[in-house]
Amino acid sequence: PQRLMESGGGSVQAGESLRLSCTASGNTVRSKYWAWFRRPPGKEREGVAATDNAGIATYADSVKGRFTISKDDAKNTLSLQMDSLKPEDTGMYYCASDQTRPSGGALESYEYRDWGQGTQVTVSS
């Protein structure tokens, strides 16, 4: 398994932007499927965005048009550009990866084996 580490979280005002990064290390067999999840306060973890080595992206309806997922294969780094942030975007954000194609859905957490520890995003109104 790969070790994943997120960075880039913080506290911002509504309408501002943040860019999250997730760096993978440890396993020379690189994952092919990547995703960002978040856990809002008092709620269940939910999928935010996912991508694969072909560059195909999937987004939750709540973030479409505002968030952009991307991957730098050379650096084995996953990013999430978050624009026009809203208070409801507040939560702990996690990156996840797996070598196997998701069969149940790219934004389903059970599809991913490797997880980071998370980075906190807080958006104030």
Side-chain angles (χ1 to χ4, degrees):
Q2 289 191 317
R3 188 167 68 92
L4 305 179
M5 182 175 294
E6 303 92 341
S7 61
S11 297
V12 297
Q13 296 291 317
E16 295 182 341
S17 299
L18 279 175
R19 185 176 182 87
L20 305 184
S21 295
C22 172
T23 302
S25 62
N27 193 332
T28 58
V29 179
R30 295 185 172 183
S31 297
K32 299 179 180 178
Y33 303 93
W34 299 78
W36 286 98
F37 290 82
R38 67 187 179 191
R39 187 187 296 277
K43 296 183 179 180
E44 296 294 318
R45 183 170 54 189
E46 60 186 21
V48 175
T51 190
D52 60 20
N53 276 7
I56 298 173
T58 302
Y59 295 95
D61 288 343
S62 59
V63 306
K64 282 181 181 177
R66 300 188 298 120
F67 289 13
T68 304
I69 188 172
S70 61
K71 188 170 180 300
D72 185 331
D73 291 329
K75 297 181 180 179
N76 211 23
T77 299
L78 181 73
S79 297
L80 185 68
Q81 178 65 40
M82 305 187 296
D83 298 321
S84 302
L85 282 162
K86 303 176 181 180
E88 51 264 43
D89 294 319
T90 294
M92 185 70 78
Y93 282 69
Y94 303 88
C95 68
S97 70
D98 203 284
Q99 296 174 13
T100 304
R101 178 186 298 277
S103 57
L107 297 181
E108 296 291 341
S109 59
Y110 63 79
E111 297 283 2
Y112 298 89
R113 179 189 63 181
D114 300 328
W115 290 81
Q117 294 298 307
T119 185
Q120 178 68 36
V121 172
T122 302
V123 185
S124 302
S125 58

